């Protein structure tokens, strides 16, 4: 049974009438209505944990823009919290995870998760968003990759040089693998629970795979993701295939290797040439991306030009999902997003007509 | 006249008895003797501006380790200061350049530089270091690339999203090019003055080229560097060729394009596979790099293993200068650096003997 939504069709490399678009962090601080709900919730984590408010902010961008998918509003760090760590978001400072995991003894403090109970608020949000969406567009679920989650857990938050996790990786690879294995189990269970509750596609964010040497990326980032891919449900409760998007920032050197995994879509950052990436992966996967988010500060004509360039660079084959190469930043004006979304649909339709 | 020093020979892809090594930021905070001189100087900028102290810290790592090159102790931001901006380094905060350049009117405040007068303290340091080195190892000079310098000047310091410079790039490319042209002139004059005063090789640091899309990298980062390369003196006052090292972090996608410029050496970050890079550039340039600096936190055997892996991966052709893939971090123990340097020399000599 082939899907009808253009986002799901493009993810499976089926023809679409226009190129679908969604935007990483489309439910976010650049929207005044998001900032209002966020203020009402108190803090960021309370917003994530309130299924009604999470539903509301997930839907907000869809009311403004003709986006082709919704993405669950949540945070990748709910997993470490569910495993027993203390999570806080300090205003303007980024996340804090305590106590930071520095030794194999620290790992003893973690426990496996039962997503339906430890992360019940996420599952409630998924159910509620699906009900509100009422089939209009598909809902994307997500998780951080094991390596990316591990960086926050070992560093105790964000990091610049990744000193502590690399110390563990190079000096105590056994503990490193123990943590990554534990996380692979949690992420697989978590994504499967999201699918069971109704998400129609999932994205795995490997935000920090790009700080690893090629050999280390394969061992510490890609292999755990492959373990997850092998364990994910491929068909949802409604009988539809669940496409998996792998987004590994700064990892364009590994496109071919990533395309050979069980994922359906590769997300690209904007440092990667879309046309070259298309040539390199051939018809093995669909591609998602990859406009520089900063172009949203440019005048409308420049945004439209960039859209035309990217669509032309991908070429006529099916299998392109338009997106930014990274999350939208809070300083972008929503008017520019409207121009982007409209332009992607109009230009891609025009291109298809020219070609037929 | 071929050079005798192994660093210069490797830069020109000539045979050497062992693989030469130097370390980015080898004169730096990981050395207790550096911290002492730094405390005496007061602040970082005063240290850069004092030729005697700059000479002292440049020589410090050479007293401890058998390094094959010295690198001038200075900072890339002395150029914007010499052009008329106000430069401060706040403890633990990174640099501040004021007023940040946000419009074409702001650019009017900048003036071209005469390196011999505006940056006389650098030229004095070069002369003094050469005298102290007394031919033991060659001295490397350096500059930031125009694009990298421009990021600090437009953002007013370090940046995360490069919002302001990208706004200029996408909304006012004319001003962006005006600034980059001005900087290209300054950098070329500055490096030529360093050469005239005695540096025997130069490195151009493009620390932030990696935040650009492929098309933007070519236009805003690589083209200005090419302009500089075309204007650099190729022969020093002693009649020796001056190799130019291009180090563009996060730009491995552009290796072939960079290898086709007039540079002699490409510096690699640790996210690039050294053997693959060697295959991609062939015999057009030498390669410098590229161990993950974090491996210096690992036990000695792990460091030695990494050295063996990298040397083997580069293979038997001449033209490898060992280095880290980025600057050494302040938290590294000097004992580990000793192990690294010794290991590079011993292992590379052993490999040559095995092969002959």
């Amino acid at each position: 049974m082939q899907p009808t939504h253009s986002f799901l069709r493009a993810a499976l490399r089926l023809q679409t009438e226009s190129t679908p678009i969604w935007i990483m962090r489309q439910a976010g601080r650049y929207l005044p209505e998001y900032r209002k709900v966020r203020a009402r919730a108190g803090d960021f984590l309370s917003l994530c944990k309130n299924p009604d408010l999470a539903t509301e902010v997930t839907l907000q961008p869809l009311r403004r823009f003709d986006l082709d998918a919704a993405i669950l509003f949540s945070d990748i760090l709910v997993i470490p919290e569910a495993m027993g760590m203390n999570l806080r978001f300090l205003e303007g400072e980024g996340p804090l995870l305590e106590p930071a995991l520095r030794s194999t003894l620290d790992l003893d403090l973690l426990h496996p998760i039962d997503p339906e109970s430890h992360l019940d608020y996420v599952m409630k949000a998924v159910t509620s968003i699906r009900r509100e969406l009422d089939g209009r567009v598909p809902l994307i679920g997500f998780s951080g990759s094991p390596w990316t989650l591990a960086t926050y857990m070992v560093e105790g938050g964000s990091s610049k040089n990744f000193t502590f996790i690399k110390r563990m990786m190079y000096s105590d690879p056994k503990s490193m693998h123990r943590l990554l294995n534990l996380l692979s189990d949690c992420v697989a269970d978590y994504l499967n629970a999201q699918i069971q509750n109704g998400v129609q596609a999932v994205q795995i964010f490997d935000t920090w795979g790009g700080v690893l040497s090629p050999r280390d990326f394969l061992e510490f980032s890609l292999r755990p993701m492959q373990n997850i891919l092998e364990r994910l449900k491929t068909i949802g409760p409604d009988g539809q295939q669940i496409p998996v998007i792998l987004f590994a920032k700064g990892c364009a050197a590994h496109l071919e290797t990533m395309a050979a995994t069980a994922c359906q879509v590769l997300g690209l950052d904007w440092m990667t040439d879309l046309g070259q990436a298309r040539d390199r992966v051939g018809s093995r996967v669909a591609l998602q991306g990859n406009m520089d988010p900063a172009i949203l500060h440019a005048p409308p004509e420049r945004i439209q030009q960039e859209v035309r360039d990217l669509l032309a660079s991908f070429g006529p084959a099916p299998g392109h999902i338009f997106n930014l190469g990274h999350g939208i930043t809070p300083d972008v004006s929503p008017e520019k997003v409207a121009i982007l979304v409209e332009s992607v649909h109009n230009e891609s339709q025009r291109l298809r007509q020219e070609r037929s």
Side-chain angles (χ1 to χ4, degrees), chain A residues 81-92:
Chain A
E81 192 195 37
M83 292 169 82
M85 294 186 80
N86 194 319
L87 172 64
R88 285 184 299 155
F89 288 88
L90 301 184
E91 209 58 56

Side-chain angles (χ1 to χ4, degrees), chain A residues 33 52 57 122 160 203 264 316 339:
Chain A
E33 59 267 37
D52 290 338
V57 295
V122 175
K160 200 184 153 209
Q203 175 158 320
Q264 280 70 39
I339 289 163

Side-chain angles (χ1 to χ4, degrees), chain A residues 179-244:
Chain A
L179 175 57
L180 292 170
N181 287 339
L182 186 57
L183 281 166
S184 301
D185 289 344
C186 290
V187 171
D189 291 347
Y190 179 51
L191 288 176
N192 277 334
Q194 289 185 27
I195 293 169
Q196 200 51 43
N197 280 279
V199 305
Q200 292 145 287
V202 295
Q203 175 158 320
I204 300 175
F205 286 87
D206 190 23
T207 315
W208 298 120
V211 305
L212 293 172
S213 75
R215 181 204 54 206
D216 294 331
F217 174 76
L218 298 182
E219 177 173 348
F220 295 100
S221 177
L222 191 62
R223 200 191 295 166
M225 290 198 285
Q226 273 175 311
N227 292 342
I228 294 166
L229 289 170
E230 283 158 19
R231 288 184 46 195
L232 285 188
K233 293 176 199 289
T234 54
I235 305 289
D238 60 357
Q240 290 281 355
Q241 187 176 349
I242 307 289
V244 182

Side-chain angles (χ1 to χ4, degrees), chain A residues 189-350:
Chain A
D189 291 347
Y190 179 51
L191 288 176
N192 277 334
Q194 289 185 27
I195 293 169
Q196 200 51 43
N197 280 279
V199 305
Q200 292 145 287
V202 295
Q203 175 158 320
I204 300 175
F205 286 87
D206 190 23
T207 315
W208 298 120
V211 305
L212 293 172
S213 75
R215 181 204 54 206
D216 294 331
F217 174 76
L218 298 182
E219 177 173 348
F220 295 100
S221 177
L222 191 62
R223 200 191 295 166
M225 290 198 285
Q226 273 175 311
N227 292 342
I228 294 166
L229 289 170
E230 283 158 19
R231 288 184 46 195
L232 285 188
K233 293 176 199 289
T234 54
I235 305 289
D238 60 357
Q240 290 281 355
Q241 187 176 349
I242 307 289
V244 182
I245 309 164
L246 217 60
F247 176 69
K249 189 166 175 275
C251 298
H254 305 287
L255 278 185
E256 292 87 347
T257 320
M258 292 191 289
T261 66
C263 75
Q264 280 70 39
V265 186
L266 289 181
L268 301 178
D269 60 43
W270 73 91
M271 285 74 81
T272 312
D273 183 274
L274 182 59
Q276 280 176 17
R278 168 80 287 170
D279 292 342
R280 285 168 60 192
V281 303
S283 59
R284 279 177 292 173
V285 288
L287 293 178
Q288 176 176 284
N290 67 342
M291 192 174 95
D292 183 348
I295 291 186
L296 290 173
H297 296 304
E301 312 72 50
R302 184 69 185 77
I303 297 173
Q304 288 157 344
Q305 184 56 51
E306 191 71 16
V307 166
R308 279 193 293 273
D309 288 352
L310 279 169
L311 293 173
S313 144
F314 187 85
H320 182 206
I321 298 163
F322 203 101
N323 206 318
L324 304 180
H326 196 51
I328 188 169
T329 50
D331 50 3
V332 166
S333 131
E335 288 70 37
K336 298 293 181 69
V337 178
I339 289 163
L340 170 69
V341 174
E342 206 190 323
S343 171
V344 168
H345 287 149
N346 290 349
E347 289 296 329
S348 60
Q349 246 177 330
R350 199 182 51 74

Side-chain angles (χ1 to χ4, degrees), chain A residues 155-186:
Chain A
E155 300 291 333
S158 306
S159 178
K160 200 184 153 209
N161 290 324
F162 300 91
T163 306
F164 293 105
I165 192 163
K166 288 195 167 177
R167 205 179 286 237
M168 184 184 283
M169 188 175 89
Y170 290 128
S171 310
D172 185 10
K174 220 171 134 182
S175 295
M176 190 74 255
H177 280 299
R178 184 180 155 208
L179 175 57
L180 292 170
N181 287 339
L182 186 57
L183 281 166
S184 301
D185 289 344
C186 290

Side-chain angles (χ1 to χ4, degrees), chain A residues 115-126:
Chain A
E116 295 286 356
S117 67
H118 294 109
L119 293 159
D120 62 326
Y121 58 88
V122 175
M123 304 310 147
K124 281 180 189 153
V126 169

